[in-house]
Amino acid sequence: MKQVMLCAISSLSCGICDEDCAYCTQNKNSDVKIKRYKIKSPDEVVAEAKMASANHALGFCLVTSGVGLDDKKTEDVARIAHAVSAECPDLMLIACNGLASKEQLAELKKAGVFSYNHNLETSREFYHKICTTHSWDERYQTNLNAKEIGLELCCGGIYGLGESKEDRISMRKSLAKLNPFSSPINFFINVDGLKITPDSLSVDEAFGIIKDSVKALPNTRIMIAAGRESLFKQRQYEIFNHGVSAIVLGDYLTTKGESMSRDIAELKARGFEFVTKCH
Ligand code: SF4
């Protein structure tokens, strides 16, 4: 039986970031109209987690806006992680909170977090073209920190930011060194108000990127995240013909995703069963 792992996202805080990541709707220079808020209540996140679990999600990712963790944010995420674990013990919790020290990550692990998501986004060589307020090396180090304290890694990147083919190869080599448990591929979604001149990727080019990622990361679960619906459109379920074994279910941080019910129906019709355990 073919299997697919489903992961849903909760945007715990949104649009309150001082960084200048050019691809991100939450960056301080973007004019994108998004809902901005400091922190959701645990009850609100638990309701989202229950909805995700009822729709066969195994992963549930707690995402915060901003460059990284501080003491207050670590406490907030840990509190919410405890609340979700208590109500939805079958969900595997992922945290995605930017740059983080080993101590902060250890607190999240104690609160029941299983995996840390911190994407490299692009190559080390290209990173300064899309962000000047923090470095690629800091991102890489956060992944090493997560690994060192025993969190599983979820680490990938974005394609279509204007990077070269060499940049793509370089990012995949860096990802291979980290050997993450899962690796999300995002295809850049251009939104009015972002100050970036992106590439427009063709569907066949994107399928090629998926195949190259599967080849470069043979031990890693390759996940398709943002851009699945907008890039592949009616061909979106063909991604599974190229080695994809996980997708993001529901909405992304500030953009709409496919409806959960359509994804579930389409996957069942194609003979997929849903992964219920990570190991
Ligand atoms: S640090 Fe994160 S939230 Fe802030 S602009 Fe960059 S990607 Fe967006």
Side-chain angles (χ1 to χ4, degrees), residues 6-265:
L6 305 178
C7 291
I9 295 172
S10 177
S11 187
L12 305 189
S13 57
C14 191
I16 50 168
C17 186
D18 288 333
E19 301 294 294
D20 71 351
C21 309
Y23 55 87
C24 180
T25 54
Q26 304 188 46
N27 95 58
K28 66 179 178 186
N29 297 322
S30 99
D31 301 325
V32 182
K33 304 277 174 283
I34 52 168
K35 200 169 154 195
R36 295 170 197 276
Y37 50 87
K38 282 201 174 142
I39 191 82
K40 281 180 181 165
S41 70
D43 286 352
E44 204 176 338
V45 183
V46 166
E48 292 174 12
K50 285 182 176 169
M51 166 77 87
S53 187
N55 280 285
H56 306 282
L58 175 60
F60 188 69
C61 189
L62 307 172
V63 188
T64 48
S65 176
V67 70
L69 284 169
D70 54 25
D71 289 351
K72 166 83 172 64
K73 213 184 266 187
T74 307
E75 272 173 33
D76 286 341
V77 177
R79 190 175 63 249
I80 291 172
H82 275 301
V84 173
S85 296
E87 296 285 335
C88 303
D90 293 338
L91 286 177
M92 307 302 299
L93 291 186
I94 303 142
C96 175
N97 313 120
L99 303 177
S101 67
K102 282 184 255 183
E103 294 71 24
Q104 290 160 339
L105 292 165
E107 287 302 312
L108 299 187
K109 189 168 181 232
K110 259 198 271 169
V113 168
F114 152 84
S115 170
Y116 199 69
N117 170 225
H118 193 52
N119 294 335
L120 297 181
E121 306 302 18
T122 190
S123 69
R124 185 170 192 254
E125 299 77 14
F126 187 69
Y127 192 75
H128 68 101
K129 296 261 176 69
I130 56 163
C131 175
T132 65
T133 47
H134 62 268
S135 70
W136 185 95
D137 287 357
E138 290 172 275
R139 302 187 79 84
Y140 194 85
Q141 184 59 49
T142 292
N143 278 284
L144 294 179
N145 292 346
K147 213 169 170 156
E148 203 174 315
I149 65 128
L151 285 166
E152 294 288 347
L153 285 191
C154 173
C155 183
I158 309 178
Y159 290 86
L161 297 174
E163 76 282 355
S164 66
K165 289 208 163 52
E166 290 71 31
D167 288 315
R168 294 175 184 175
I169 293 167
S170 172
M171 175 174 77
R172 288 193 288 265
K173 278 190 183 154
S174 303
L175 289 171
K177 272 195 214 152
L178 288 170
N179 192 24
F181 167 77
S182 61
S183 185
I185 297 176
N186 295 277
F187 297 105
F188 177 63
I189 301 174
N190 203 6
V191 176
D192 280 350
L194 286 180
K195 296 176 179 63
I196 185 169
T197 314
D199 297 332
S200 74
L201 293 171
S202 71
V203 169
D204 286 334
E205 192 178 2
F207 285 145
I209 286 169
I210 294 172
K211 284 190 256 183
D212 289 342
S213 301
V214 170
K215 205 162 143 194
L217 300 165
N219 308 314
T220 296
R221 197 172 270 285
I222 300 296
M223 168 186 292
I224 302 301
R228 168 165 61 99
E229 306 80 358
S230 51
L231 175 62
F232 297 107
K233 299 190 172 67
Q234 69 277 16
R235 298 183 66 189
Q236 61 173 302
Y237 299 102
E238 287 179 38
I239 57 173
F240 298 105
N241 303 341
H242 303 294
V244 167
S245 56
I247 56 170
V248 169
L249 185 72
D251 293 340
Y252 304 101
L253 293 177
T254 60
T255 52
K256 293 295 278 177
E258 187 54 82
S259 85
M260 290 191 188
S261 56
R262 177 172 183 217
D263 271 345
I264 301 303

